[in-house]
Amino acid sequence: MKPLISGATQSGLDPSAVDRAVHAEERLLQAAYLDPVTNLYSRRLISAIIEEQIVRARRDARPFAVVDIDLERFRLINTTFGANFGDSVLREVAARLSRHIGDADSIARVAADEFLLVLPGRVRGIALDRVLSVLLQDLTKHPLTIDGQEIFVSARVGVAVFPEDGGTVADLIARASRDLVRPGGRERVVEDRELFQLETGLHRALTDGELHPFYQPQVDLHSGRVMAAESLLRWLRPDQTMISPAVFIPLAETTGLIGPVSTRVMERVLLDLDRWIQQGLRAVPLAINLSARLFSDTWFDQTLLPLLDAGGIPPSHIKFELTETALLEDADRTRQAMKKVRDRGFSFALDDFGTGYSSLSHLHRFPIDEIKIDKSFITGIADNPREQKIVASMINLAHALDITVVAEGIETSEQLSLLRGFGCDLGQGFLFDPALSAGEFAIRLDAVHNLSFSPPPDQP
């Protein structure tokens, strides 16, 4: 852009004064048209570019795309690590985005955590999908390294195409934009820092093989024989410290890693089952927990079903555990997904049964083959006649519907005796075994536990 006072030297002005004026004008123009942090275009300039593209598109009948990229949790990064660190993150993000932008494309930072791209000629189909896929993979799959600190970023993308999605600059930007869900409330900086470090560690755990399924046996309460097992995920770090799933599973759900984590679990469980079958061991059904988040994603169709089909494992050897939360997240979608899996011969168990207000209705609305009575009912059963009646009623109802019953958290012989008297089918808990490694569980497959306790009391 030509400086406004370019001819000032011909008027007899001091050249140094002219230079200062020119530089001042350039700084003003830069402030107006470039983002000071990333040196990308500003909102003002990208709006002018979109306006220009609208004029060209109307003249040449060539549509174009406006892409909105929103960084998630950027405010949390700023709060946790400071504004200077946040600026460095933005510059690195800008650099990664820019290396996938062609000569005819434009990119701007238009808000604290929002970027806009204008892509002429790539508006739909393979061309647009390819550039967005490569761009997001580069942005989110590899950590940023800022001042020696590794951090992963995640993003949401919205796309608007002219003229289908809007005929003005404001309409296109609004259509491309997507609202973000950000963490709320006051959080301590140290906790946030640990959260980001844990997230980075979880990414590493996926690639370095630190996630391992452990197996807690489910025992026939009348014969004492191991009849099944629940697969319980454990994160074992290289220094042999164990991270509780109560910590990293919620983190995986909020950061979008629950799909990759669940895929890794499925792969490991199928490998263990195949190995036991090849070794001639007595393979029993293994229960695998599924997150509610997976039912609103494409994970079922694109990952789970192909894994099951390719694994070659008999369907009778796999059952999936769901909580009421998973069932209620999107009831219609969940029921359809369950039907696809059950049609292949796999079964479903309803976990934490009795803790939700509508558990009974789920037994006929969803294809449930097994219920697991929550540990909270088992813990005080020996001293609480009311809970004894509740548990006995649960077992009778399930049996009337041809549903198997598993009792969780059995720790005493008194609890075992009562449950046997009520006709409970299976039980798991520390009275029998803790969660075992794959090798330990293979040894326990043929175990028969001693159930010679005192005769069970009369059923309430």
Side-chain angles (χ1 to χ4, degrees), residues 10-151:
Q10 300 177 12
S11 303
L13 295 179
D14 181 2
S16 62
V18 172
D19 288 342
R20 289 194 298 271
V22 170
H23 291 320
E25 181 182 355
E26 290 175 346
R27 287 195 295 272
L28 288 173
L29 291 174
Q30 183 173 4
Y33 293 114
L34 296 180
D35 171 56
V37 176
T38 63
N39 211 37
L40 298 178
Y41 291 159
S42 66
R43 174 180 283 272
R44 180 178 178 181
L45 183 53
I46 201 71
S47 297
I49 291 173
I50 296 174
E51 185 66 54
E52 182 181 1
Q53 287 296 328
I54 290 174
V55 173
R56 291 183 178 180
R58 285 174 175 161
R59 182 189 64 205
D60 302 332
R62 293 188 60 192
F64 65 95
V66 175
V67 178
D68 181 289
I69 298 178
D70 293 313
L71 299 182
E72 295 188 287
R73 300 180 298 125
F74 179 70
R75 291 181 183 176
L76 192 57
I77 293 175
N78 258 353
T79 302
T80 304
F81 298 101
N84 290 336
F85 187 95
D87 287 348
S88 296
V89 169
L90 290 172
R91 283 189 286 269
E92 178 62 24
V93 168
R96 291 195 180 187
L97 294 177
S98 296
R99 62 193 183 201
H100 300 290
I101 299 302
D103 293 338
D105 306 327
S106 303
I107 179 172
R109 177 181 173 233
V110 297
D113 52 7
E114 184 179 3
F115 298 80
L116 277 184
L117 282 63
V118 179
L119 306 178
R122 291 184 287 184
V123 296
R124 58 175 64 85
I126 296 175
L128 181 59
D129 291 343
R130 182 183 296 120
V131 69
L132 292 182
S133 176
V134 172
L135 184 150
L136 285 178
Q137 183 172 3
D138 187 17
L139 180 62
T140 63
K141 297 300 183 183
H142 308 287
L144 311 180
T145 302
I146 310 295
D147 298 333
Q149 169 75 44
E150 283 193 344
I151 186 169

Side-chain angles (χ1 to χ4, degrees), residues 148-281:
Q149 169 75 44
E150 283 193 344
I151 186 169
F152 283 85
V153 297
S154 55
R156 291 187 178 181
V157 177
V159 178
V161 175
F162 177 88
E164 295 98 306
D165 297 326
T168 67
V169 173
D171 289 343
L172 290 170
I173 293 177
R175 181 62 184 266
S177 297
R178 296 292 184 268
D179 292 333
L180 292 177
V181 179
R182 293 190 176 92
R186 300 178 61 187
E187 301 177 65
R188 291 166 49 205
V189 171
V190 63
E191 292 174 344
D192 294 337
R193 186 180 296 273
E194 291 172 353
L195 181 65
F196 279 109
Q197 292 172 342
L198 191 65
E199 180 183 348
T200 299
L202 186 55
H203 278 272
R204 295 294 185 199
L206 281 166
T207 58
D208 295 348
E210 298 174 14
L211 300 179
H212 306 275
F214 277 54
Y215 302 95
Q216 186 170 32
Q218 295 176 344
V219 176
D220 186 308
L221 296 188
H222 303 280
S223 70
R225 197 176 190 198
V226 175
M227 300 302 296
E230 179 181 1
S231 171
L232 300 168
L233 187 60
R234 297 291 184 263
W235 178 2
L236 185 61
R237 283 180 159 174
D239 61 2
Q240 298 304 300
T241 58
M242 191 84 76
I243 307 296
S244 169
V247 173
F248 71 83
I249 291 298
L251 175 65
E253 290 181 328
T254 58
T255 57
L257 290 175
I258 191 62
V261 167
S262 299
T263 301
R264 182 57 50 86
V265 174
M266 280 296 308
E267 291 171 343
R268 292 294 301 272
V269 170
L270 292 175
L271 283 174
D272 287 340
L273 265 172
D274 184 65
R275 182 170 61 253
W276 296 334
I277 292 173
Q278 296 301 322
Q279 292 174 351
L281 299 177

